[in-house]
Amino acid sequence: MDKKELEELKQKLFNKKENGWNSKTNQEKQEIFDYSKGYIDYMNISKTEREIIYNSEKIAIENGFKDIKDVKDLNPGDKVYWNNRGKSMYLAIIGKNNIEDGLNIIGSHADSPRLDLKPNPLYEDSDFAYFKTHYYGGIKKYQWTAIPLSIHGVIVKTNGEKIFVSIGEDRDDPIFTITDLLPHLAQDQMKKKLSEGIEGEDLNLLIGNIPFDTDIPEAVKLNILNILNEKYGITEKDLLSSELELVPAMLCRSMGFDNSMIAGYGQDDKICVYASLTALMEIQNPEKTAICIISDKEEIGSMGNTGMESHVFDTFISEILNKLNINRPNLLEKVFCNSKMLSADVDVGLDPIYSSVSEKNNACYLSRGIALNKYTGARGKSGASDANAEFVAEIRKIFENYNIKYQFGELGKVDVGGGGTIAYILANKGIEVIDCGVPVLSMHSPYEVTSKLDLYEAYRGYKAFWKNA
Ligand code: MN
Ligand code: MN
């Protein structure tokens, strides 16, 4: 064989891995940039799971979705949703086919690692007022000091009044921060392991310094409570029934001289929420019923009544069967056994600075397209839902037919670690599931990085799945 023939053979037989920008036309690049603007805007008003659900419900209603509780009968083409306590949501577009043939599901999660306030958060020390916190999800604690933080969430009074809090996002708002030790006096701290340099009990949010005009004990705390009372009409006790979350007070923004990337908080997994939600909005009259899940509590194990382990999702599907007037015993289980799902969660992107944790042949790379994990789990696939080869082939076929850029990888080297998603929970119901999301750098940090190309391929890939699976 001559050199040219060898090159051709290589082209034919190799799984070519390349930067996806190579094959995009100028018009396609423009589409990618335009689409990512919508994502950045959505991210900047959706820092928490409650804000994601609030904004996503609005988008759904604008696109003709109705609350399933307000619908009596369902017919093909109908669009309905179930808002689960403002923290998770399930959406459906009823298909033309018999629903017994199964659902096409895409599921992501809206919660992200953050700092929550403790039930009794407020205290004073040395003329400073502080909020105590308890971190939520897997964080590197040192990353959360010395950055601007905002407070989001709700305070619910015993009379049922719900006060929505969002402070620190507007330019005119104050922000908050957790202080760190100056390097001049940090000799002992700097000798500690990175995991111990900042302790959980030291993640205390600095919130005030002015005493309430008299010389009484805890006068700074009193002043803060007085401000909160004037602003929100609450007392210290009302903080017991609150859910207040601290998130980075930093904008999600376009990144790089070439504007190729996006930097922002909470892209795990709000990037897959946005890609799947916007894809669903473009589906009309599908063959199979299209289901979109926006889940909560994934970062702490999916437990609780808004997490994926709860049975509220099953109830939503049962309600669909009821309102199609076809429900009967065991139909729900049968529907699940015939269903297919993309578990839309982010994946680790290879970071050349930390490449030693990845195995290069099985790492996912930014800008090489949507990332699929046949299995997740850690050290020997422990706890993994391992997608069946037959199903993997089906997904490949769809993506290849639609020219979706995709890549397969693992989350890190075999013995180094691993992760989990909601995939196994749905797989346990009998659904065919594979993890399929966007690769991320600096995952779980206050400022995660993604590629605009991968976001767009996820959106296109999800749309192709709903139309063709
Ligand atoms: Mn995730
Ligand atoms: Mn995560």
Side-chain angles (χ1 to χ4, degrees), residues 348-381:
V348 61
L350 179 120
D351 186 335
I353 300 173
Y354 303 103
S355 62
S356 64
V357 300
S358 297
E359 185 259 295
K360 284 194 168 171
N361 212 33
N362 285 284
C364 287
Y365 292 72
L366 261 66
S367 296
R368 287 190 185 174
I370 192 166
L372 292 114
N373 284 297
K374 188 174 178 297
Y375 47 85
T376 56
R379 298 176 190 88
K381 300 191 179 182

Side-chain angles (χ1 to χ4, degrees), residues 109 111 267-269 298-299 344-347 420-421 443-444:
H109 67 91
D111 61 315
Q267 298 200 71
D268 174 8
D269 184 36
E298 193 278 337
E299 296 293 357
D345 205 342
V346 297
D347 193 4
T421 66
M443 196 195 288
H444 283 205

Side-chain angles (χ1 to χ4, degrees), residues 324-466:
L324 285 168
N325 299 305
I326 57 164
N327 212 355
R328 60 173 196 272
N330 292 331
L331 180 59
L332 179 69
E333 289 81 353
K334 202 170 166 195
V335 168
F336 281 148
C337 284
N338 290 329
S339 294
K340 295 167 188 172
M341 176 179 181
L342 299 180
S343 167
D345 205 342
V346 297
D347 193 4
V348 61
L350 179 120
D351 186 335
I353 300 173
Y354 303 103
S355 62
S356 64
V357 300
S358 297
E359 185 259 295
K360 284 194 168 171
N361 212 33
N362 285 284
C364 287
Y365 292 72
L366 261 66
S367 296
R368 287 190 185 174
I370 192 166
L372 292 114
N373 284 297
K374 188 174 178 297
Y375 47 85
T376 56
R379 298 176 190 88
K381 300 191 179 182
S382 181
S385 162
D386 201 342
N388 297 310
E390 294 84 351
F391 181 56
V392 177
E394 267 188 75
I395 299 303
R396 273 187 53 213
K397 184 180 171 193
I398 295 170
F399 286 178
E400 283 169 21
N401 282 346
Y402 282 79
N403 203 19
I404 310 288
K405 274 261 161 213
Y406 73 85
Q407 53 185 328
F408 275 74
E410 284 191 336
L411 202 153
K413 277 185 180 167
V414 173
D415 288 329
V416 172
T421 66
I422 61 170
Y424 74 96
I425 303 165
L426 285 297
N428 285 348
K429 299 182 199 291
I431 301 169
E432 294 281 8
V433 187
I434 187 165
D435 279 301
C436 177
V438 176
V440 177
L441 303 185
S442 301
M443 196 195 288
H444 283 205
S445 82
Y447 219 49
E448 299 172 323
V449 172
T450 57
S451 154
K452 289 180 183 175
L453 182 135
D454 300 332
L455 165 63
Y456 195 64
E457 295 303 288
Y459 153 76
R460 291 178 61 234
Y462 295 157
K463 215 163 47 170
F465 171 79
W466 268 320

Side-chain angles (χ1 to χ4, degrees), residues 76-77 93-99 284-289:
I93 305 176
I94 307 302
K96 287 181 264 191
N97 294 3
N98 186 343
I99 200 163
Q284 305 286 350
N285 303 306
E287 306 281 316
K288 284 200 192 165
T289 296

Side-chain angles (χ1 to χ4, degrees), residues 86-320:
K87 293 172 162 187
S88 61
M89 187 159 92
Y90 323 109
L91 304 97
I93 305 176
I94 307 302
K96 287 181 264 191
N97 294 3
N98 186 343
I99 200 163
E100 271 190 61
D101 297 345
L103 315 164
N104 286 338
I105 305 168
I106 299 181
S108 58
H109 67 91
D111 61 315
S112 302
R114 59 179 191 252
L115 308 178
D116 286 346
L117 292 201
K118 288 194 183 192
N120 300 293
L122 184 57
Y123 75 99
E124 175 176 337
D125 191 347
S126 311
D127 288 347
F128 292 118
Y130 292 96
F131 276 152
K132 295 288 296 177
T133 69
H134 192 142
Y135 57 92
Y136 173 98
I139 63 163
K140 292 162 100 175
K141 283 167 276 189
Y142 69 87
Q143 293 179 331
W144 293 76
T145 62
I147 59 167
L149 296 165
S150 56
I151 304 177
H152 295 243
V154 295
I155 305 165
V156 187
K157 300 214 271 186
T158 49
N159 66 5
E161 187 192 343
K162 194 192 280 188
I163 300 146
F164 289 87
V165 176
S166 171
I167 182 161
E169 299 298 337
D170 263 21
R171 210 172 261 267
D172 296 333
D173 281 355
I175 54 90
F176 309 89
T177 197
I178 294 166
T179 52
D180 195 358
L181 193 55
L182 64 166
H184 317 63
L185 299 177
Q187 291 92 327
D188 288 344
Q189 184 196 35
M190 299 296 271
K191 280 184 210 138
K192 290 183 184 171
K193 291 198 317 198
L194 211 47
S195 60
E196 290 159 6
I198 302 287
E199 288 180 25
E201 288 298 345
D202 293 337
L203 290 173
N204 301 323
L205 191 72
L206 183 54
I207 57 170
N209 185 223
I210 302 178
F212 190 83
D213 63 15
T214 51
D215 193 16
I216 53 161
E218 300 191 287
V220 178
K221 173 176 167 177
L222 179 61
N223 194 45
I224 295 294
L225 281 171
N226 192 50
I227 291 167
L228 293 177
N229 185 261
E230 281 174 359
K231 193 171 163 72
Y232 302 116
I234 60 158
T235 66
E236 187 176 14
K237 256 185 159 176
D238 291 320
L239 293 173
L240 294 170
S241 46
S242 71
E243 283 179 356
L244 295 172
E245 304 175 7
L246 311 183
V247 297
M250 302 188 281
L251 287 174
C252 181
R253 309 185 65 159
S254 185
M255 201 187 104
F257 282 117
D258 54 6
N259 281 291
S260 56
M261 293 168 278
I262 303 156
Y265 162 73
Q267 298 200 71
D268 174 8
D269 184 36
K270 296 171 175 73
I271 194 166
C272 295
V273 173
Y274 186 77
S276 56
L277 185 74
T278 50
L280 186 75
M281 295 306 122
E282 292 180 19
I283 303 294
Q284 305 286 350
N285 303 306
E287 306 281 316
K288 284 200 192 165
T289 296
I291 302 287
C292 180
I293 298 171
I294 305 174
S295 178
D296 182 30
K297 297 286 183 280
E298 193 278 337
E299 296 293 357
I300 57 168
S302 295
M303 311 304 277
N305 61 11
T306 59
M308 203 63 236
E309 294 271 17
S310 93
H311 291 199
V312 181
F313 174 66
D314 298 24
T315 306
F316 173 63
I317 304 300
S318 288
E319 273 297 272
I320 289 175

